[in-house]
Amino acid sequence: MQLKRVAQAKLPTPWGTFIIIGFEELTTGKDHVAMVFGDINEQQPILTRIHSECLTGDALFSLRCDCGFQLEAALKQIAKAGKGILLYHRQEGRNIGLLNKIRAYALQDQGLDTVEANEQLGFAADERDFTICADMLKLLGVNKIQLLTNNPEKVKVLQQAGITITERIPLEVGENPNNEHYLATKAHKMGHILHLHHK
């Protein structure tokens, strides 16, 4: 177990009141949060979204990605279902950090795609560690979920870590002229399951 649970409080949102629960990584001190809606202690699979931190998309309304759109859609969907969990996974820019993400954006402005830009900066295409999310679920007492994702890698890593995934539910929102190339790269180079209007 890489995490400990450290704090929780009520968090009112436009879609209802969630409970926000803070976790700390034992080795690095990095923090992550879970937003929990309704009763998650039942035996049925719990609707769950793993959302990787994206300051530019989540807070600054960037159209370069689909992150902010996915965050809002997932919270709406969880609230509509009456129960669920959003894990906010604080590994910015596929875990290369905010400043390196901006450097990667600059390379994309010169014509590279997201994978090429990360690699030119000396990183893998995706540096994220989703096993932390499995630990968060276990600390919440949840081991059976319906996962809101387009990314098969999340399914694979969680299953390997002992989480049962009964269903993968697509979350395809936010396609726009500014992120067409980004989404196509996700689909064609990273294996995300997307049905794009512009190939």
Side-chain angles (χ1 to χ4, degrees), residues 50 52 89 128-134 151 153-154 157-158:
I50 294 172
S52 295
H89 181 231
R128 290 174 294 180
D129 175 11
F130 296 119
T131 57
I132 290 165
C133 301
N151 184 354
E153 185 65 18
K154 289 180 183 175
V157 172
L158 290 185

Side-chain angles (χ1 to χ4, degrees), residues 59-123:
L60 302 178
F61 311 104
S62 171
L63 297 177
R64 294 185 76 125
C65 61
D66 54 348
C67 303
F69 299 99
Q70 287 188 320
L71 178 61
E72 183 171 337
L75 291 172
K76 280 182 183 173
Q77 207 161 326
I78 287 166
K80 187 177 177 184
K83 63 179 178 180
I85 301 165
L86 184 134
L87 302 179
Y88 198 82
H89 181 231
R90 298 200 60 209
Q91 296 193 354
E92 175 75 52
R94 299 196 187 123
N95 209 21
I96 68 173
L98 178 61
L99 298 182
N100 280 322
K101 182 167 85 167
I102 296 169
R103 291 184 181 106
Y105 279 174
L107 291 171
Q108 290 164 43
D109 289 342
Q110 295 168 29
L112 274 62
D113 66 31
T114 54
V115 169
E116 292 163 348
N118 275 23
E119 290 173 345
Q120 183 152 322
L121 290 170
F123 300 105

Side-chain angles (χ1 to χ4, degrees), residues 49 62-70 94 108 112-115 150-151 171-199:
R49 166 72 182 162
S62 171
L63 297 177
R64 294 185 76 125
C65 61
D66 54 348
C67 303
F69 299 99
Q70 287 188 320
R94 299 196 187 123
Q108 290 164 43
L112 274 62
D113 66 31
T114 54
V115 169
N150 306 322
N151 184 354
L171 189 63
E172 297 188 48
V173 291
E175 185 180 353
N176 70 77
N178 296 283
N179 67 18
E180 287 170 8
H181 189 46
Y182 164 84
L183 292 175
T185 302
K186 269 185 163 183
H188 301 141
K189 287 195 173 182
M190 304 187 75
H192 289 215
I193 302 165
L194 293 167
H195 303 90
L196 303 174
H197 296 103
H198 300 86
K199 299 295 181 186

Side-chain angles (χ1 to χ4, degrees), residues 17-19 35-42 78-79 82-85:
T17 299
F18 288 72
I19 303 296
M35 291 178 66
V36 175
F37 193 86
D39 181 7
I40 60 166
N41 298 312
E42 300 176 18
I78 287 166
K83 63 179 178 180
I85 301 165

